[in-house]
Amino acid sequence: MSAVASARSWRGVLRQLGLLSTSAGAMRSVRAHADRLGISYEHFTGRRRWVDEELRQSIAEASDWHEAARSLDGAGEAAIAALQGHAARLGVDSGHLAPREAASADAELRPDTSRLDRAGSLLAAAWYTMCGCDVSWPLEPSRYDLVISSGGEMRRVQVKTTTTRAAGTWKAYLSTSRSARRPYSPDEIDEFFVIDGDLAHYVIPLAAVGGLHAIHLSAYARFRVAGLPVGGR
């Protein structure tokens, strides 16, 4: 099939044959015919800039995956992951390639409040656990982040973090903002666990802030609770 020889993808073959290029059924049929006739399509690249033989040669000549990616006009983790996947699919031996360097064991790890939003639920769960509560996580996305149980009572907790300063205090947003800001209702949660940029913790009942989109935490100091113990204290 000359269409296979001159094309760079199965969609290109379908276009040359006057068929709908987005038809999965037509694509499977044409590929089956090519396989039956023994017609090679290893030169197909799709969106790639290289063919399979170039990948084999690049891996054979490279000393690590970064070098292989650069030789094929690629760079970065995504390009390397794609090459590794193609190499596995083609059965290309890459055992001689040096593994990527691991992070130095001496590298200093330092907490950064720029990641506070990612750590918020974990910090809240640790706090409730160290207070003697049982903590559960919802299996599916819910309006609450945690369910805590203490003394036979269960409460739904929405965790909020803030690194925003306003009027000399921390400003915490209590509503969601996907399309329009929407506050939480008593049917959805029972309390907020708020962590500010100083890592101070607040447990604020929904009844105290119901209907509000944002609060200044200085006005809710009475709901501040002891933080996680540090150094055994």
Side-chain angles (χ1 to χ4, degrees):
M1 295 171 69
S2 60
V4 174
S6 60
R8 304 289 283 181
S9 67
W10 288 113
R11 289 189 176 187
V13 173
L14 294 180
R15 283 193 292 268
Q16 291 194 42
L17 295 176
L19 301 174
L20 183 63
S21 63
T22 57
S23 171
M27 196 175 299
R28 287 193 298 269
S29 177
V30 171
R31 180 169 180 169
H33 281 299
D35 289 336
R36 179 173 56 83
L37 296 172
I39 298 175
S40 173
Y41 44 84
E42 283 194 348
H43 61 286
F44 282 9
T45 62
R47 296 182 179 179
R48 292 182 278 125
R49 300 177 182 177
W50 44 265
V51 296
D52 293 346
E53 187 54 40
E54 290 174 326
L55 173 62
R56 292 188 178 94
Q57 181 178 353
S58 175
I59 290 177
E61 296 175 351
S63 60
D64 59 41
W65 283 107
H66 290 281
E67 183 180 344
R70 286 193 298 270
S71 70
L72 296 172
D73 297 326
E77 298 300 317
I80 291 174
L83 293 186
Q84 290 173 332
H86 284 296
R89 173 178 60 83
L90 297 170
V92 178
D93 181 13
S94 59
H96 65 285
L97 297 183
R100 286 173 286 177
E101 294 184 3
S104 171
D106 297 329
E108 182 180 6
L109 296 178
R110 183 182 297 275
D112 190 330
T113 54
S114 66
R115 303 184 183 93
L116 183 58
D117 59 332
R118 297 178 58 187
S121 293
L122 299 173
L123 292 172
W127 187 87
Y128 282 111
T129 299
M130 295 187 73
C131 288
C133 301
D134 293 325
V135 177
S136 300
W137 304 76
L139 292 177
E140 298 181 356
S142 302
R143 291 283 280 172
Y144 54 87
D145 293 315
L146 306 171
V147 175
I148 64 164
S149 175
S150 177
E153 178 188 10
M154 299 184 69
R155 302 196 303 278
R156 298 158 299 176
V157 181
Q158 168 60 219
V159 180
K160 296 295 184 184
T161 64
T162 179
T163 55
T164 300
R165 297 285 293 182
T169 185
W170 296 105
K171 182 178 182 180
Y173 289 92
L174 303 182
S175 55
T176 53
S177 58
R178 291 180 180 175
S179 55
R181 298 212 72 91
R182 175 190 166 195
Y184 293 85
S185 77
D187 293 331
E188 296 172 324
I189 70 168
D190 299 297
E191 65 193 35
F192 289 99
F193 189 94
V194 183
I195 307 172
D196 68 22
D198 290 325
L199 301 186
H201 301 354
Y202 302 76
V203 176
I204 306 177
L206 179 65
V209 291
L212 299 180
H213 292 284
I215 60 173
H216 291 89
L217 289 174
S218 59
Y220 295 86
R222 65 188 184 279
F223 296 111
R224 182 169 174 172
V225 295
L228 293 171
V230 178
R233 293 182 284 108

